[in-house]
Amino acid sequence: MTESSEVRIGERIRFYRQAKGKTQAVVSGLAGVTEDYLSQIERGLKTPTIALLHRIAKVLGVRISDLLGESGAVHSDTAVPAGKAVQHALMTYGEADAAAGPADLGELRARVNSAWAVWQERPRRFSEESPILPALIADVQAAQRAAASSSAESQRQAHQIAADLYFLLRTFTKRIGRTDLSLLVADRAVIAAQAAEDPVRIAAAKWNLGHILLAQGDAESAEEVAIHAIEDLERTGTGDGPDAVAMTGALWLVSAVAAVRNGDPWAGRDRVRKRAWPAARAAGEGNVMWTVFGPVNVALHAMSLEMESGEAAEALRLADDIDVSALPSLERQTTFALEVARCYEQRRDDPGVLLHLLSAEATGPEDMRYNNLARELVQGLLKRARPTYAPQVRSLAERIGLLT
């Protein structure tokens, strides 16, 4: 029988704590919880919030992925062959194709936009995206090199296209578990956006960098990147334009999540209420730089912050008023369903967990295979499911590859 997610995470915390020679008293004190609460987490009796996991990981000097069991156990080049192909394409820097002459930048722009549409709009985006990306990477990087001898406008367009592709690669590589590549492409996106001298894209590049820093457990750096990006955008004098307003709001959301994971949930809530909400109302619903920023996304983040802070009841209250059906990103809809499922798990409401896992599967069937939160939730249900719905849980586990 599969272990519950709480036991598995608790055992990892205990393993790394003992390996580091730290007592429960020391770790709990530095993480801001009681020694008894940490003891219950290690024994699988309590479910730690994501924010608390980040603090424990920081105290222990390990990555949060180590505590979650994400260190290569789920994702592999066998499961997602594009991971290795994407890495190879990135390492060529477009050198092989640069000699072919000037690229058709209009065609490249259309291909990058099409790839983004696949990622945000298709339920089976991993399967459909994987064969597209390697050639697209090679062609875009070759276009950047070839544009060096072209007009300033051609250079600017080539760098913009490259930045937009790197934005896509950041989220794709993160989702398949290649955080090493995700950080690499996030850095390249910043360089490309700066070369294009495009303030909004530079802000978007910093937004992407902030997200991967959050994923790697470096909330302090993510917060610093987001705040500095907001300040830089304001200094350019473009901060009042609709796209800049949306990007500023999106960056405030990154800083809000970082604040919660740094142990200051009230600062996170304050940034959502005073910064992100006004920006969302001014910008309206949109998808500037593929951030899906708007009132619905801000509401999603407000709910997520409560979930990460351990306030499951408040998170579910907020979730009741959120309609994600009109969002342009199925990925974001899937994430919402998984976070609601996490809230129900915190309340030990297994039917609620199952219902929202099935909802997540409807919009992102392949995400369920690659998302470690989803897999942990299903593993927990396998242990606890009552006979009335155990067959549904087992069938879901088989579909996402947990029982094969």
Side-chain angles (χ1 to χ4, degrees):
M1 180 68 72
T2 306
E3 298 173 287
S4 73
S5 59
E6 294 90 342
V7 172
R8 286 151 47 86
I9 292 174
E11 287 182 347
R12 294 185 197 110
I13 291 173
R14 183 173 64 248
F15 170 81
Y16 285 110
R17 178 179 61 76
Q18 293 175 342
K20 300 285 183 176
K22 296 181 183 292
T23 65
Q24 285 185 337
V26 168
V27 173
S28 62
L30 293 173
V33 296
T34 66
E35 185 176 350
D36 179 63
Y37 193 78
L38 178 61
S39 175
Q40 292 185 67
I41 290 174
E42 290 189 354
R43 287 179 286 142
L45 303 178
K46 292 288 186 182
T47 302
T49 66
I50 295 176
L52 177 56
L53 277 177
H54 278 275
R55 296 202 298 275
I56 292 174
K58 185 176 180 180
V59 171
L60 296 178
V62 299
R63 299 170 300 176
I64 190 171
S65 59
D66 294 323
L67 301 184
L68 291 172
E70 296 180 359
S71 304
V74 174
H75 313 294
S76 68
D77 288 329
T78 301
V80 190
K84 193 169 187 178
V86 164
Q87 178 177 334
H88 177 75
L90 288 167
M91 294 303 102
T92 65
Y93 295 93
E95 295 173 355
D97 300 317
D104 185 334
L105 296 179
E107 179 189 15
L108 277 182
R109 162 55 64 197
R111 288 170 62 190
V112 170
N113 288 347
S114 176
W116 262 111
V118 168
W119 183 251
Q120 290 197 327
E121 300 170 12
R122 305 285 183 85
R124 299 192 176 277
R125 57 181 172 275
F126 291 91
S127 297
E128 294 187 42
E129 202 77 85
S130 294
I132 295 173
L133 290 176
L136 185 55
I137 293 168
D139 291 346
V140 168
Q141 292 188 150
Q144 273 187 291
R145 293 174 63 87
S149 58
S150 302
S151 66
E153 177 59 22
S154 293
Q155 293 179 42
R156 186 181 68 85
Q157 290 183 33
H159 290 311
Q160 288 176 332
I161 292 168
D164 294 354
L165 175 60
Y166 291 137
F167 297 161
L168 172 58
L169 292 171
R170 190 277 307 171
T171 185
F172 178 83
T173 53
K174 173 180 176 289
R175 293 301 185 189
I176 65 171
R178 293 298 304 271
T179 54
D180 55 334
L181 293 182
S182 193
L183 186 58
L184 170 66
V185 294
D187 182 64
R188 287 194 186 178
V190 173
I191 294 171
Q194 290 174 335
E197 299 181 344
D198 186 326
V200 172
R201 274 187 172 79
I202 293 172
K206 299 295 181 64
W207 178 83
N208 276 277
L209 179 59
H211 272 282
I212 190 57
L213 290 171
L214 286 173
Q216 293 189 329
D218 192 354
E220 290 182 3
S221 294
E223 186 172 17
E224 182 179 358
V225 164
I227 297 297
H228 285 173
I230 292 168
E231 295 170 349
D232 290 342
L233 193 56
E234 291 174 347
R235 277 195 293 268
T236 65
T238 60
D240 293 334
D243 287 358
V245 169
M247 275 313 313
T248 299
L251 286 162
W252 278 118
L253 291 179
V254 171
S255 76
V257 174
V260 171
R261 294 184 183 177
N262 282 326
D264 193 352
W266 287 109
R269 294 182 180 111
D270 198 54
R271 289 171 181 175
V272 169
R273 184 176 65 257
K274 294 182 178 180
R275 302 291 188 170
W277 269 118
R281 294 186 184 103
E285 295 293 352
N287 196 18
V288 174
M289 293 290 109
W290 299 280
T291 59
V292 200
F293 182 77
V296 173
N297 204 3
V298 174
L300 293 178
H301 276 78
M303 184 273 293
S304 296
L305 294 187
E306 298 302 331
M307 183 268 294
E308 292 208 13
S309 301
E311 301 293 338
E314 176 62 12
L316 289 172
R317 186 189 70 78
L318 294 175
D320 286 341
D321 295 327
I322 300 173
D323 180 7
V324 298
S325 61
L327 284 178
S329 171
L330 287 181
E331 178 190 20
R332 196 67 187 92
Q333 294 180 35
T334 302
T335 300
F336 170 68
L338 290 175
E339 290 181 346
V340 174
R342 174 68 166 175
C343 291
Y344 278 106
E345 185 197 45
Q346 290 178 358
R347 293 171 63 84
R348 292 297 193 271
D349 183 342
D350 285 345
V353 176
L354 177 59
L355 175 66
H356 288 85
L357 284 175
L358 293 174
S359 178
E361 186 186 29
T363 56
E366 293 181 334
D367 291 68
M368 299 293 288
R369 285 181 169 269
Y370 306 127
N371 187 294
N372 281 279
L373 171 59
R375 296 173 71 87
E376 290 279 0
L377 290 171
V378 175
Q379 286 169 334
L381 283 182
L382 281 171
K383 176 68 175 180
R384 305 185 304 268
R386 298 178 65 84
T388 51
Y389 53 87
Q392 290 176 278
V393 174
R394 186 171 182 83
S395 177
L396 175 59
E398 290 175 347
R399 291 195 298 274
I400 68 175
L402 282 178
L403 298 180
T404 56

